[in-house]
């Protein structure tokens, strides 16, 4: 799992994830992911290149979202593929996490 | 055909188990949705076992394929745990009230076509069944 971070002029931290959010992939990024979501207040997670999502990855997303929410921040998930979205839907995480397929909507939700 | 793999109880072994299952089902004509369901259920079931079993525990996996179904079995000698009846976390619609973990069972129930569990000879025997034809009537 690869993770790259770019900070946009608006202050939004755009996190690109590339790989699988299974036990192995989540383990590879969780420390860095928790650090960045613990520091930033506006985080957009680009899931375009995430091919697989398991509950350990959902746990990381929910945990980060909760921490940010308590600080008055927000985390938005951008463009998960259909199988990843099916996983989010099946376990009810889509009702908790902000998920969008439109960049303008995503950025608007964070500003 | 039936294939068997024994792994140790640790998170790092889950990837090996996933590769083993992918190899075992590789030649089959299976829809990508079934492959996703099988990989997800294997990952979630093993994550549960690894969390609750001792670290030196041996976990036995079996993959059995017939004309209509694929059966994925997981055996361990950890504490008795029946995934078919264990409570899943409540679904919440707000991040503050949301339960962070425990969604694996919900995913297993949502993606497998049938679940069977029995405790036998001090071991948990959990079998997840997947219909090779996802339009099969019992789904």
């Amino acid at each position: 799992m690869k993770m790259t971070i770019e900070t946009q002029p608006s202050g939004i931290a755009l996190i690109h994830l590339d790989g699988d959010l299974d036990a192995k992939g989540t383990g590879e990024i969780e420390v860095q992911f928790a650090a960045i979501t613990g520091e930033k207040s506006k985080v957009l997670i680009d899931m375009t290149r995430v091919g697989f999502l398991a509950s350990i990855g959902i746990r990381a997303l929910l945990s980060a979202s909760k921490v940010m929410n308590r600080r008055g921040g927000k985390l938005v998930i951008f463009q998960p593929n259909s199988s990843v979205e099916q996983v989010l839907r099946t376990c009810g995480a889509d009702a908790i996490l902000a998920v969008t397929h439109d960049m303008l909507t995503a950025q608007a939700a964070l500003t | 055909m039936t294939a068997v793999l024994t792994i140790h109880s640790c998170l790092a072994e889950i990837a090996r188990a996933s590769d083993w299952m992918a190899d075992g089902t590789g030649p089959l004509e299976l829809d990508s949705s079934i492959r996703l369901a099988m990989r997800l259920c294997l990952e979630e079931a093993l994550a549960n076992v690894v969390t609750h079993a001792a670290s030196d525990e041996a976990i036995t996996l079996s993959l059995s394929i017939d004309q209509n179904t694929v059966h994925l079995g997981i055996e361990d000698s950890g504490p008795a745990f029946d995934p078919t009846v264990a409570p899943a976390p409540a679904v919440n619609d707000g991040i503050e009230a949301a339960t962070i973990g425990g969604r694996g069972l919900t995913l297993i129930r949502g993606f497998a076509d049938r679940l069977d569990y029995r405790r036998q000879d001090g071991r948990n025997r959990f079998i997840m069944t997947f219909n090779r034809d996802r339009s099969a009537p019992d789904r």
Side-chain angles (χ1 to χ4, degrees), chain B residues 74-87:
Chain B
I74 299 177
E75 282 191 31
D76 70 276
S77 54
F81 178 74
D82 183 351
T84 65
V85 297

Side-chain angles (χ1 to χ4, degrees), chain B residues 23 29 45 81 111 114 124 130:
Chain B
D23 288 345
E29 281 189 22
F81 178 74
F111 279 84
R114 183 179 149 183
N124 296 303
F130 305 86

Side-chain angles (χ1 to χ4, degrees), chain A residues 20 22-23 55 66 91 96, chain B residues 39 43-44 92 96 98 103:
Chain A
D20 291 344
D22 53 6
S55 66
K66 200 165 200 167
C91 72
I96 304 165
Chain B
R39 182 181 171 193
E43 172 105 11
E44 301 301 345
N92 313 104
E96 269 314 303
R103 290 169 196 275

Side-chain angles (χ1 to χ4, degrees), chain A residues 20-24 51-56 58-59 62-63 65-66 69-70 83 86-88 90-93 95-97, chain B residues 11 14-15 33 36 39-40 43-44 47 91-104 106-107 109-111 139:
Chain A
D20 291 344
L21 278 175
D22 53 6
K24 181 171 179 285
F52 178 81
L53 175 66
S55 66
I56 194 166
I58 296 169
R59 177 192 292 257
L62 286 173
S63 180
S65 183
K66 200 165 200 167
N69 187 63
R70 285 180 179 162
S83 65
Q86 187 187 1
V87 170
L88 289 169
T90 301
C91 72
I96 304 165
L97 293 164
Chain B
L11 281 177
I14 296 178
S33 69
L36 166 71
R39 182 181 171 193
L40 184 63
E43 172 105 11
E44 301 301 345
V91 173
N92 313 104
D93 57 5
I95 187 64
E96 269 314 303
T99 310
I100 297 299
R103 290 169 196 275
T106 307
L107 290 173
R109 290 168 185 164
F111 279 84
R139 178 166 172 78

Side-chain angles (χ1 to χ4, degrees), chain A residues 20 50-54 81-90, chain B residues 18 21-22 25 30-44 72 107-108 110-112 130 134 139:
Chain A
D20 291 344
V50 172
F52 178 81
L53 175 66
N81 73 23
S82 59
S83 65
V84 167
E85 197 153 24
Q86 187 187 1
V87 170
L88 289 169
R89 199 167 48 243
T90 301
Chain B
S18 188
M21 187 178 69
T25 56
L30 293 176
D31 189 85
S32 60
S33 69
I34 303 174
R35 293 187 187 278
L36 166 71
M38 291 177 60
R39 182 181 171 193
L40 184 63
C41 290
L42 175 67
E43 172 105 11
E44 301 301 345
L72 180 58
L107 290 173
I108 290 171
F111 279 84
F130 305 86
R134 289 249 120 175
R139 178 166 172 78

